[in-house]
Amino acid sequence: QVQLVESGGGLVQPGGSLRLSCAASGTIVSAYNMGWYHQAPGKQRELVATITGGGSTNYASSVKGRFTISRDNAKNTLYLQMNSLKPEDTAVYVCNARTAYVTYWGQGTQVTVSS
């Protein structure tokens, strides 16, 4: 059974940083395209950043220059380094792993940016 488990969320002040992790088990995700999404209360889930199996990255315009997506295939883990956090970044952050045939989602980790 494939599982994606996020961690690293929490409460941080504006301007602060957090590093999210998404640990995969039950399959080797090195060939998967992976991504981070966020969902704020009352809003639809939105793309934050993606990374291909080859390491190419893509970012939402709202996070470009502040967030960095990366992966460690040896650890079967996806990361999201979030710097210069803003209150509008507050959301549940969810990771996914996908191929042309299947998509897996984690349960999410809460990120709250507030003073």
Side-chain angles (χ1 to χ4, degrees):
Q1 182 179 358
V2 177
Q3 283 192 318
L4 301 177
V5 179
E6 300 93 339
S7 61
L11 173 64
V12 63
Q13 292 186 342
S17 298
L18 283 174
R19 188 194 194 203
L20 306 184
S21 299
C22 170
S25 61
T27 190
I28 304 299
V29 294
S30 59
Y32 285 62
N33 295 326
M34 301 188 75
W36 288 99
Y37 294 73
H38 69 195
Q39 186 165 14
K43 295 187 177 181
Q44 291 189 331
R45 183 174 290 179
E46 296 178 338
L47 171 71
V48 175
T50 60
I51 185 168
T52 67
S56 297
T57 59
N58 182 56
Y59 296 92
S61 57
S62 61
V63 306
K64 198 171 293 184
R66 299 188 298 123
F67 291 9
T68 302
I69 189 171
S70 62
R71 63 194 300 164
D72 186 336
N73 290 332
K75 295 182 178 180
N76 226 27
T77 300
L78 176 73
Y79 301 100
L80 184 69
Q81 177 67 44
M82 306 187 295
N83 298 328
S84 302
L85 282 161
K86 304 176 181 179
E88 51 263 43
D89 295 320
T90 294
V92 175
Y93 284 72
V94 184
C95 66
N96 84 348
R98 65 195 182 280
T99 69
Y101 308 102
V102 66
T103 299
Y104 301 107
W105 291 93
Q107 293 298 307
T109 185
Q110 176 70 45
V111 171
T112 302
V113 185
S114 175
S115 54

